[in-house]
Amino acid sequence: MSDSMRSQAIVAPAAGDWIRLGHEEGIGDVVAEVLPRRTAIVRRDPAEDVVEQVLVTNVDVVGVVAAVDRPRNVARLERFLVLAADSGAEPVIVLTKVDLGLDDQWRELGALVPDVPVLHTSAVTGIGIDDVAALIAEDRTLVLLGESGSGKSSLVNTLVGEDVQATKEVRAGDAKGRHTTTARELVVIPGGGVLIDTPGIRGVGLWDAEPALERVFADIAQLGEQCRFSDCSHRVEPGCAVRQAVDAGHLDGWRLDRYLRLRAELDEQAEQREQRRRKARGRRRR
Ligand code: GDP
Ligand code: ZN
């Protein structure tokens, strides 16, 4: 195996990667190297529970897309925000189809997601499209995550100002680097910036994202520092500052509930990974 093949085996390119091309006798162009990633959105592989899957890399902003003609699902949005926070990119919530009107639930969303901007957009009236364009000013890259039908393609088309189809091969920079796309569509916006549309994603499994969870739920993490036990689960322990805050009406009990669910998911996953490692070690010893 040549060196170029070996490095390819270590990191498989994902959408958004910059690669160095190499040449293999009898094969042609090959990926010689995946260049270091600035950011990476990583989820749990939907097909294989104990493996990670890199969705897209090198994005600056993650737009979590939700259409206001559907019921609000805060748990789902928070899950995507943790995914975004874990990637190292900046999260923003993009509400679509606001021409259809917002009910109170959607209007009050901002209060539930502290520190995350919520953009109101419509591909029909053009409202908020400038705000989305501003996210990718100065040649930044924005990826849109959301379920199918949430209006992602319409948003992309409105930004580009015409209907675009899959831009299969986008060259940027010099000949050494090339953005790679798979099923994700990468579109260069005429006014500057790059937009990556993903196929509809209904839900994502988090992967190794504890620090990101603590950042998205910073209010709870902060309260947790005052709990009597440093490893307090905020469920049953005496002297739990988090539960006290709920009882006193300072913290929404539903928010705590959603946080605990995500934490349980991550804990369980870490446990599975540890079990696997132990098994692998056992096999090697025998
Ligand atoms: P995608 O699957 O996320 O790419 O969603 P599409 O862009 O294909 O949109 C799904 C449906 O929502 C289509 O029927 C669109 O016409 C409709 N839609 C998209 N954007 C808007 C909008 O801003 N306002 C309204 N009223 N409908 C929209
Ligand atoms: Zn506690």
Side-chain angles (χ1 to χ4, degrees):
M1 196 194 251
S2 75
D3 275 335
S4 63
M5 298 297 280
R6 201 168 290 128
S7 58
Q8 183 185 11
I10 294 168
V11 182
D17 269 335
W18 290 94
I19 61 174
R20 191 169 57 75
L21 280 180
H23 194 82
E24 283 288 317
E25 217 37 65
I27 297 176
D29 289 344
V30 295
V31 175
E33 187 190 359
V34 173
L35 301 183
R37 295 164 171 163
R38 276 187 301 123
T39 62
I41 301 183
V42 181
R43 69 166 167 182
R44 178 184 222 169
D45 191 320
E48 265 233 60
D49 264 7
V50 286
V51 180
E52 68 180 59
Q53 182 189 55
V54 180
L55 269 182
V56 38
T57 67
N58 296 321
V59 300
D60 301 289
V61 189
V62 178
V64 179
V65 179
V68 299
D69 62 344
R70 295 183 185 178
R72 191 184 77 178
N73 183 340
V74 181
R76 193 184 138 270
L77 290 173
E78 285 167 342
R79 175 181 286 275
F80 275 91
L81 290 178
V82 174
L83 190 80
D86 178 61
S87 75
E90 202 181 296
V92 47
I93 291 178
V94 182
L95 300 186
T96 57
K97 313 189 193 182
V98 300
D99 55 282
L100 299 175
L102 279 82
D103 61 19
D104 287 346
Q105 284 223 319
W106 282 116
R107 216 170 289 127
E108 291 155 10
L109 176 67
L112 294 179
V113 287
D115 305 328
V116 181
V118 180
L119 304 186
H120 291 195
T121 73
S122 165
V124 169
T125 65
I127 273 178
I129 300 301
D130 284 351
D131 297 331
V132 180
L135 296 174
I136 48 177
E138 286 156 18
D139 282 331
R140 305 212 304 165
T141 300
L142 164 71
V143 64
L144 298 177
L145 302 179
E147 50 191 8
S148 130
S150 59
K152 288 180 280 94
S153 329
S154 306
L155 199 62
V156 174
N157 289 340
T158 311
L159 273 164
V160 179
E162 57 182 298
D163 279 4
V164 280
Q165 280 307 314
T167 317
K168 279 283 171 276
E169 197 182 76
V170 178
R171 286 162 197 269
D174 58 14
K176 275 183 282 177
R178 183 184 289 183
H179 265 300
T180 57
T181 70
T182 51
R184 279 110 212 164
E185 294 170 7
L186 193 151
V187 180
V188 176
I189 305 300
V194 174
L195 217 154
I196 301 178
D197 190 7
T198 56
I201 302 176
R202 278 192 73 81
V204 286
L206 298 178
W207 181 262
D208 210 3
E210 283 86 356
L213 179 71
E214 302 304 312
R215 260 181 286 146
V216 171
F217 291 89
D219 47 346
I220 295 177
Q222 214 172 358
L223 283 165
E225 284 169 15
Q226 263 109 63
C227 294
R228 186 177 304 163
F229 302 105
S230 62
D231 62 346
C232 185
S233 72
H234 317 316
R235 291 179 191 274
V236 291
E237 292 89 340
C240 174
V242 175
R243 296 221 84 94
Q244 278 163 13
V246 173
D247 292 341
H250 301 318
L251 173 68
D252 176 12
W254 296 111
R255 180 164 168 87
L256 174 59
D257 216 52
R258 296 190 302 265
Y259 165 81
L260 290 177
R261 257 171 233 249
L262 288 174
R263 212 173 79 170
E265 179 180 320
L266 288 172
D267 286 350
E268 187 191 336
Q269 196 185 101
E271 176 61 25
Q272 281 175 356
R273 265 202 305 272
E274 184 49 36
Q275 270 174 18
R276 267 188 126 207
R277 264 196 293 271
R278 252 181 265 139
K279 250 192 230 158
R281 270 202 299 272
R283 268 201 301 276
R284 272 201 301 277
R285 243 176 253 131
R286 257 180 274 133

